[in-house]
Amino acid sequence: MRSGVRSKAIVLSLMFAGTTLVSSVPSSAGAERKETGNSQSDRWPRSPLAPKGAPNILIIMTDDVGFGTTSTFGGPVPTAAFDRLAGEGLRFNRFHTTAMCSPTRASLLTGREPHNVAMGVVTNFPTGFDGYTTVIPDSAGTIADILKAHGYNTSMFGKGHVTPEWEMSIAGPYDRWPVGLGFEYFYGFLGADTSMWNPNVVENTVAVQPDTGVRDYHFEKDMADHAIKWLRNQNAAAPDKPFLMYYAPGLAHTPHHAPKAWIDRFRGNFDQGWDIVREETFARQKAEGIIPKDAELTQRPESMPAWASLTPEQKRVYARLMEAYAGSVAYSDAQTGRVIEEIRRSGEFDNTIIIYIQGDNGSSAEGGLGGLAFSQSLIVGRHEDFAELADHLDDIGTANMYNHFPAAWGWAMNAPFPWWKQVASQEGGTRNGMVISWPKGIAEHGEIRTQYTHVSDIFPTLLELAGVAEPKTIAGVAQQPVDGVSFSYSFNAPDAPSHRRTQVYEMMQNYGIYSDGWMSGTLPEKMPWDLIPRDGESAKVIEPRWTLFNLDRDFSTAHDLAQQNPEKLAELKRLFQTEAEKNHILPIHEPGVGREGMPTLGKKRTHFTYPSGIANLNEDAAPYTIGESFVITASVDVPAQANGVLVAHGGRYGGYSLYLANGRPVFHYNSVGSDQYRIASHDPIGPGDHVIKMGFVADQERAGTPGTVTLTVDGKVVASGRIDRTIAGWVSHTEGFDIGADRITPVSDEYTTEQSTFEGTISEIRFDIDP
């Protein structure tokens, strides 16, 4: 566990090359005592000083944007800010991520292989094996930890997704929140995703509710506004102090939310379908020199339908889903561009290193073959049919949906590679477009670099450019070796051979190895839309099918050489075993295996008592009702015709709520989309003290179970009814648990969040699980 005084201790001392540097009193600060007559001047502690001329650093990482998405890398979505930066800097066409969100982000921040910092999987699916607990150790200090201790101001905006779920409540610890990972200021969200229209936002360690009712509110705009404000204040307070900003947009992860005007910019642009869009991208990539002239376009997987095979209605709906994705990518880039323009305006652009990475993995196929109106359907075990999408065509991209495009669009956005997000063993899951700009330090502009690089390489590269050595200890904790390899040599040496010669991969049982131009990996046995392990599923023994590619001769991995070159394949398989053992990858296992004993605040409790005012308690700390019978008991004092929420968990995209509507007790269970269940009393209750109970009796003890609801007031049954399907997975991965209101989005459309505050007095809310 990280020490509570960790951030202060980092500033006080660091051990470099065996020598302790006490940065609170640097030798250049004139801290020696001086005699003045009979008095002695005070010896003032000094803040750490950055190396002279140290560059500012802006790291930008978007979400789920494939290699072939942006115009900068030949894709169909114009990204003006990304384009301009590429013209002023360098494009890297062999940059690699880890194939999923949390592992890529942990590797970026720590410079280590994800399994070496226990982030071998997203924080939503930890297991009890060393490489997979999702608890970043103290021995892996972040780039922010180190630069802050060397005189940098540090900030982070946007998506975190590196905090263990059981540490995300107000109880902390905050050691693995952004503010505990070296960032002095944070404005964003801790989880995997959030609604762009109604985000679940944290500022430092406090949940805040942005004014989403203002005109043109969108989280990406709000995030850019906060980043620009921070830059201006930082520059005003200490213009000579360099900054590190980690800017992590939530787009284009689902939900693909963008202003309608931005989505409408792409009206008709994708009517030709995914097959032709991918071919058009491939042609542009060749024409612009992004990929070699001899590269071949890989074929559509047999599991995915040809665009020509779809009905006209399917084409219309699926094209609109792609328009929403394109709108979200373009809009996000425009907001990021505002932040970059602020750096230009301040005069700091020439000495600012900007690393702009489009995507923390390849584009996603998690929307399944037919796309999703609500991506929550994937994680709550709900089947969506096409009619639901078609009936809500005009809602795509709005707050009424949490839309995700069909998997074939994800495949198309990864052109020219096959496969997609989650598949660490293939280039389509790990190859992302990256641009670096630093006018003061990079002479060439608009060129392409082909050296093989990995996200862990950014850490040592930036420390080298900032003139800061890797510490041996941080806050008294010995630091584990950095796995990244600096690629600064490539900036002004386009033909230099890659310094990274080996790279191991594993994600969701997809694993592979790169070595000196060769890549060998397994083919996925499980599709992304089968991501969520279900209760009762046993671990599967998978006999992997290995592939082999010569990346130096076959850029797009069009030719599998496993059968033709068994000796090389065997060599790489042996190398993989060695690297897997060395990097905490073994045992390779399904996400649902090995979770026994996982830390939790709420899942093992059966009784909960709350006063009024509990707000946005995170999922792990809330009552665990999935697959269980449970009783809610509310002791309240109500006025006549009272309204308001007694308790709510979740919101518009899944959850439940017990509330009063004109004095009538109502229990609403939102099983996502059209699966809505409302059990309500016919008669209002009178003013005064009452005990309102909701009892849910599950048909079976399993996730998703149907069951019966009974509402009582003062011991008298006032309503009962059935819930045909409850939520599996998470009640809500985007919204919390509230007492006395429903604070981010409403579970039921019978009230709004503004109207949800309970008009009476809550003495106590009690939960009893499996009573």
Side-chain angles (χ1 to χ4, degrees), residues 264-394:
D264 287 346
R265 291 184 183 193
F266 296 94
R267 179 78 70 177
N269 285 21
F270 302 103
D271 290 354
Q272 68 272 47
W274 41 67
D275 295 300
I276 293 177
V277 166
R278 186 173 163 92
E279 292 170 3
E280 293 170 343
T281 295
F282 181 68
R284 283 190 298 267
Q285 289 172 334
K286 277 196 173 183
E288 297 170 19
I290 295 164
I291 65 176
K293 294 293 185 183
D294 61 355
E296 298 180 32
L297 183 61
T298 53
Q299 300 302 303
R300 174 173 29 82
E302 292 181 1
S303 62
M304 292 184 172
W307 183 263
S309 71
L310 304 179
T311 67
E313 183 69 357
Q314 286 175 317
K315 291 179 180 179
R316 186 168 74 100
V317 173
Y318 295 165
R320 188 58 174 172
L321 286 168
M322 180 58 207
E323 290 166 9
Y325 176 82
S328 71
V329 171
Y331 181 75
S332 176
D333 177 74
Q335 300 308 309
T336 300
R338 292 176 53 219
V339 178
I340 296 172
E341 288 306 307
E342 174 59 26
I343 296 173
R344 294 184 199 274
R345 185 204 63 78
S346 70
E348 293 291 328
F349 182 77
D350 283 355
N351 196 32
T352 299
I353 301 169
I354 302 178
I355 299 181
Y356 193 162
I357 306 165
Q358 283 284 9
D360 50 3
N361 41 244
S363 283
S364 173
E366 291 163 356
L369 297 180
L372 291 170
F374 300 93
S375 66
Q376 286 82 3
S377 293
L378 174 68
I379 63 175
V380 302
R382 175 177 182 263
H383 172 73
E384 284 190 16
D385 57 26
F386 177 74
E388 184 167 10
L389 267 175
D391 289 346
H392 294 88
L393 181 67
D394 293 338

Side-chain angles (χ1 to χ4, degrees), residues 476-497:
V477 178
Q479 296 296 287
Q480 64 194 64
V482 170
D483 301 313
V485 178
S486 173
F487 54 87
S488 65
Y489 67 91
S490 68
F491 293 173
N492 300 308
D495 299 323

